[in-house]
C-alpha cells in the first residue's frame, strides 16, 4: 500500500492551465530517459505552449493526468483518436515517481478509453533503442510492428507549382469534405477533420492539396509553428498524409517544398511508416535522408490494417 504522501489521484482531464507543469514533467522525464539510454548531456527542451494547446484540444477527454498528494502532476498520458485510429502520446512519469506502477496505470487507462471510444487501431510509438520500454509496453499487450522513420530534406527553391492550401482558399468546406472523402477511400474509418480544423484555427500550419482532373487525390496536414519553446520555426512538419497512389504522393511532396518556401522554413520533415514501402522509397529517391526512427507498437487485436494501393502516413506524435 502506498504511503499517504505517495498516493496518486487520477485520471483528471488536463487543461490549458496545466501546460507549464506538463512541460516540466515532459522535459524532466524525457531528459532522464535519454540519459539512461546513454545520451548523456542531452536536455529535452520545453515544447511550444501552442503545440501543447493543440495536443490537449485534439485529445479532449483523452488528455489525462495524475496528481500526487501535493496536487502536483506526477504523470500524464495524452490520448488521441482520429475516427477509428487511436494512439497515445506524449506520455511520461515524473522521474521521482517512476517504478511505482503509475506508468502501467496510465497506459491501461488510455487503452481502455480508446476501446470504449470504438477505436479499431490502438497504439503508440517508442524509441527502438529503449528496450525496457518495449518490454514494458509488451507486458501490457502491445506488439512491436514497423518503424516510423522521420525523413528530412532541405527546402528546395520554388518551382512555380502554386500549391493549393486549404486554409487560404475560398472553398474551405468543399476542400475539407474532399479531404474527408479521400481519407475514407484510402483508409475507411480514419478521419482527420478535427486535426485539420484545429490546425487552421490555431494558425499552426495548413493543408496542402493535390488535384487530378479537378478531384483531390492527395493532401498533407502540416505545421510550421516551432516545436520547441523559444526557438525559431525551421521546418515544415508533416503530421498526416493521404494519397490515392504513390504518383499522387510524389506530386504532393513537390508541393510541400513549395509550401515550405512560402513559410520561409529551411526543411521539410515527413514521418513515414516503413509499412508503406512505395512512399518510403519515393522519399529516398527524392533525396530525403533518415533523421530519426521510432518503433510503432499496437495493442494485440487492434493492429493497423495492411496498406492498400493508397498512402496513409499518420504521425503518432505531436
Amino acid at each position: 500500500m502506498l504511503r499517504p504522501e505517495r498516493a496518486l489521484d487520477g485520471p483528471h482531464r488536463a487543461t490549458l492551465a496545466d501546460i507549464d507543469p506538463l512541460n516540466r514533467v515532459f522535459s524532466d522525464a524525457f531528459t532522464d530517459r535519454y540519459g539512461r539510454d546513454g545520451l548523456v548531456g542531452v536536455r529535452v527542451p520545453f515544447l511550444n505552449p501552442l503545440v501543447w494547446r493543440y495536443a490537449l484540444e485534439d485529445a479532449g477527454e483523452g488528455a489525462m493526468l495524475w496528481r500526487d498528494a501535493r496536487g502536483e502532476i506526477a504523470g500524464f498520458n495524452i490520448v488521441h483518436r482520429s475516427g477509428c485510429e487511436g494512439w497515445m502520446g506524449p506520455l511520461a512519469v515524473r522521474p521521482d515517481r517512476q517504478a511505482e506502477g503509475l506508468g502501467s496505470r496510465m497506459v491501461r487507462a488510455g487503452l481502455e478509453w480508446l476501446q470504449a471510444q470504438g477505436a479499431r487501431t490502438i497504439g503508440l510509438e517508442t524509441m527502438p533503442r529503449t528496450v525496457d520500454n518495449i518490454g514494458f509496453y509488451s507486458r501490457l499487450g502491445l506488439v512491436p510492428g514497423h518503424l516510423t522513420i522521420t525523413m528530412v530534406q532541405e527546402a528546395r527553391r520554388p518551382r512555380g507549382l502554386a500549391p493549393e492550401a486549404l486554409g487560404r482558399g475560398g472553398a474551405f468546406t468543399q476542400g475539407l469534405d474532399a479531404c474527408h472523402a479521400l481519407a475514407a477511400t484510402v483508409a475507411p474509418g480514419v478521419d482527420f477533420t478535427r486535426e485539420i480544423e484545429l490546425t487552421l484555427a490555431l494558425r499552426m500550419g495548413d493543408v496542402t492539396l493535390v488535384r487530378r482532373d479537378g478531384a483531390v487525390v492527395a493532401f498533407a496536414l502540416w505545421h510550421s509553428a516551432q516545436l520547441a519553446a523559444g526557438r525559431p520555426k525551421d521546418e515544415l512538419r508533416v503530421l498526416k498524409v493521404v494519397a490515392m497512389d504513390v504518383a499522387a504522393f510524389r506530386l504532393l511532396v513537390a508541393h510541400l517544398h513549395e509550401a515550405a518556401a512560402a513559410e520561409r522554413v529551411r526543411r521539410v520533415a515527413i514521418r513515414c511508416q516503413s509499412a508503406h514501402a512505395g512512399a518510403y522509397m519515393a522519399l529516398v529517391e527524392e533525396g530525403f535522408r533518415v533523421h530519426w526512427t521510432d518503433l510503432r507498437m499496437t495493442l494485440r487485436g487492434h493492429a493497423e490494417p495492411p496498406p492498400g494501393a493508397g498512402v496513409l502516413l499518420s504521425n503518432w506524435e505531436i
Side-chain angles (χ1 to χ4, degrees):
M1 180 178 295
L2 291 176
R3 298 191 305 271
E5 68 272 16
R6 306 298 290 175
L8 296 168
D9 184 34
H12 302 284
R13 180 170 175 175
T15 69
L16 299 184
D18 297 308
I19 287 177
D20 284 346
L22 283 169
N23 238 340
R24 286 193 294 273
V25 174
F26 171 85
S27 177
D28 289 347
F30 280 93
T31 297
D32 177 73
R33 175 71 268 174
Y34 286 170
R36 287 186 284 126
D37 280 347
L39 300 176
V40 180
V42 174
R43 179 68 191 178
V44 175
F46 282 15
L47 293 177
N48 179 355
L50 188 61
V51 172
W52 274 112
R53 180 177 176 182
Y54 172 84
L56 296 180
E57 293 190 5
D58 177 55
E61 295 291 339
M64 306 177 187
L65 59 79
W66 283 255
R67 298 186 183 277
D68 62 19
R70 299 187 303 273
E72 297 177 355
I73 296 174
F76 62 84
N77 186 3
I78 312 301
V79 187
H80 309 260
R81 184 174 68 87
S82 303
C84 68
E85 179 185 83
W87 54 278
M88 297 178 286
L91 63 153
V93 176
R94 208 172 67 206
D96 67 302
R97 298 308 302 258
Q98 293 177 7
E100 296 180 359
L102 177 57
S104 298
R105 184 173 166 184
M106 291 181 355
V107 173
R108 288 194 182 98
L111 296 175
E112 291 169 2
W113 187 82
L114 287 171
Q115 288 175 303
Q117 293 290 312
R120 296 199 298 268
T121 295
I122 297 176
L124 52 76
E125 290 181 342
T126 189
M127 292 185 292
R129 66 181 292 158
T130 311
V131 293
D132 52 343
N133 267 14
I134 296 171
F136 166 74
Y137 292 128
S138 295
R139 289 190 294 273
L140 294 171
L142 290 139
V143 180
H146 51 261
L147 293 175
T148 290
I149 304 173
T150 302
M151 309 287 288
V152 299
Q153 188 177 46
E154 301 305 304
R156 303 172 188 157
R157 291 182 178 180
R159 299 180 181 179
L161 293 176
E164 181 181 351
L166 181 62
R168 299 174 187 173
F172 171 77
T173 301
Q174 292 89 333
L176 186 63
D177 289 345
C179 291
H180 176 77
L182 179 61
T185 299
V186 173
V190 173
D191 184 3
F192 299 133
T193 300
R194 184 179 66 258
E195 290 92 329
I196 292 172
E197 293 178 332
L198 188 56
T199 292
L200 297 179
L202 296 179
R203 299 182 179 180
M204 298 182 70
D206 211 324
V207 178
T208 296
L209 308 176
V210 169
R211 296 181 184 269
R212 184 186 293 158
D213 299 326
V216 174
V217 293
F219 73 85
L221 168 64
W222 50 264
H223 287 177
S224 60
Q226 60 269 39
L227 185 60
R231 297 184 181 180
K233 68 178 188 179
D234 65 347
E235 68 179 8
L236 189 142
R237 300 186 307 282
V238 178
L239 275 67
K240 311 290 181 184
V241 168
V242 181
M244 187 65 71
D245 48 43
V246 174
F249 174 71
R250 286 181 179 272
L251 185 55
L252 177 64
V253 171
H255 282 241
L256 287 171
H257 275 284
E258 299 284 318
E263 290 291 307
R264 298 182 179 179
V265 294
R266 65 184 181 90
R267 69 180 186 180
V268 177
I270 301 176
R271 287 171 52 80
C272 181
Q273 282 73 61
S274 59
H276 285 274
Y280 174 74
M281 291 309 301
L283 291 173
V284 171
E285 291 164 6
E286 288 293 324
F288 279 75
R289 66 184 187 278
V290 175
H291 179 69
W292 191 258
T293 58
D294 290 286
L295 176 66
R296 184 161 285 199
M297 302 182 71
T298 53
L299 182 64
R300 184 168 48 193
H302 293 270
E304 295 175 272
V311 176
L312 172 73
L313 305 181
S314 181
N315 182 31
W316 284 4
E317 284 190 354
I318 59 171

